[in-house]
Each structure stands twice: as structure tokens, then as C-alpha cells.
Amino acid sequence: MTNKSPSVRRTALLASTVAVLGVLTACGSGDDTASSPSTLPGTAAPATDGTTTGSDSASPTTAPSGSATDSDTGSATPSGAVSASGSAGTRCHTFQLSATVGRNNPGAGQENFPIVLTNKASHTCTVRGYPGAAFTDASGKQLGPDPKRSSGTPETVSLDPGQSAWAGLTFSNPEVSGAHAATPTTLLVTPPDERDSLKVKWTGGQVPVSGNSSSVFLTVFSPGTGA
């Protein structure tokens, strides 16, 4: 084999180095938007009716799989965890929240439940927009289609430690609407822009799962508990 001259070897080495640097640059781009929280509809049956205004609404696509954790135990595993002593005014993450479902306030054939998120962290955080929600049976199988979003204007709700925000969950009473019904054991709740869900025991009875008037609707979060 003919030995290559030193200049040929240097040229080949330089070309190889440039190629490697190009690969490293592509893998580690300095795009400032990479650090911004992505807008995700949540793993707990994203609301699918994009009737909101502004850029706050999540696209009506299913989010990547995440974990659902029992809200009563507070054992959520953070995806993209932040320090427990994070700065005030940052977005609330799933592991910093607990979830409950308030008392039904029925009317005109409608069932109306408040989904309540409470800040259990030691610092202020915020929620904005719609929750994700899904009814599941004892085996974890989703019952019924993904909820839809009622029209509304999202507002940023600031939660000091112990404070709550609520979003409405509404559907037609199956006995009135004639929709096929099922009785869930659990409601999965995903906070806005989060992947991980909170499990809440469902005690609200039957919900519509198919047929006419089977849609479940969600509203944007507002301050308080909705009581």
C-alpha cells in the first residue's frame, strides 16, 4: 500500500474533525426556545375541542405517555423536576399539586363537578388554561372519548402554598340524554402543560361514554375551589 503524504493525511484529518464538529453542533443547538415549557394537553385524556383564543391552548393531540400518581399520597414522580424551593411565580408541576373533585352542582339535566388543584409546595406557583381529564375503570382502561374544551379565556392563576384553583367538568346526565353510561372508579387529572397525572377516586356515579350527548366538557382554571 502506498503511504499518503503528510499533507494528504492532514487534509483527511481536518475533514474528519469538521464532520464531527458538525454532528455535535446539530445535537446541541443553542435555540433559546428549548428551555421553554412545551404546551402539552396532558396524558389524562386531553381536551379535544380547540375553541380557545390565544396561544395558551394545547393542540388537540395525544401527549406522550406519562405516569399517573395517587393524589392522596403525593408520590408523583416529577418529569423535569424543579427544586422544592423554586422561585415564586413558576408554573406548577404535577408533583407540587394535589387534586380533588368537589361536590356536584347539577342543573337542567347537567352534572357539574369542580376539578380542584391545590398547591402543596412551599412556594408560589401558577396554573393557566385547561386540565387534562379521563375516566378510567378499575383496570385503568379509559371510559368514553376524550373530553372537549368549553370556550373560555385562560388566565394565569397564582397559587400561594395551600391555595387552590378549579376547572369545571360538565356532562349531560345519561338518564336524561339517553347516552350509554358506565361508572368509573378513577378520574385522572393532568395539570396544564404537564405530562404526569394525578389519580382521584371518582364517586360521582355514572358518566356518558358513547352515543348521543356523550361529550364531557372542561373549562379553564379559575381561582378558588368552585364551591
Side-chain angles (χ1 to χ4, degrees):
M1 178 180 296
T2 302
N3 292 331
K4 296 182 180 179
S5 66
S7 62
V8 172
R9 288 197 298 272
R10 284 197 297 271
T11 301
L13 178 60
L14 177 61
S16 176
T17 301
V18 170
V20 170
L21 288 175
V23 171
L24 292 176
T25 301
C27 293
S29 63
D31 186 355
D32 293 336
T33 60
S35 62
S36 301
S38 57
T39 301
L40 297 169
T43 56
T48 55
D49 190 339
T51 56
T52 62
T53 58
S55 61
D56 303 285
S57 60
S59 59
T61 56
T62 303
S65 297
S67 61
T69 58
D70 192 330
S71 178
D72 294 332
T73 64
S75 58
T77 301
S79 60
V82 297
S83 170
S85 59
S87 60
T90 58
R91 174 168 57 88
C92 296
H93 295 272
T94 301
F95 70 98
Q96 297 168 318
L97 299 166
S98 62
T100 57
V101 176
R103 185 175 59 183
N104 185 19
N105 183 25
Q110 293 290 114
E111 309 300 324
N112 305 295
F113 295 87
I115 296 175
V116 182
L117 294 181
T118 301
N119 180 10
K120 65 179 185 179
S122 60
H123 63 276
T124 300
C125 63
T126 63
V127 295
R128 179 182 177 88
Y130 296 82
F135 293 111
T136 63
D137 61 17
S139 66
K141 179 181 178 181
Q142 181 175 331
L143 301 175
D146 292 346
K148 297 181 179 181
R149 291 175 176 174
S150 298
S151 59
T153 302
E155 63 174 304
T156 300
V157 182
S158 181
L159 301 179
D160 290 334
Q163 289 188 330
S164 302
W166 72 281
L169 182 149
T170 301
F171 55 86
S172 296
N173 186 311
E175 294 182 0
V176 176
S177 68
H180 296 110
T183 302
T185 60
T186 302
L187 177 68
L188 296 183
V189 177
T190 306
D193 301 323
E194 288 292 293
R195 293 172 181 260
D196 295 332
S197 305
L198 296 166
K199 290 182 179 180
V200 182
K201 183 178 180 180
W202 179 256
T203 59
Q206 290 189 328
V207 301
V209 295
S210 64
N212 294 332
S213 300
S214 61
S215 296
V216 176
F217 293 91
L218 297 168
T219 69
V220 295
F221 276 103
S222 299
T225 61

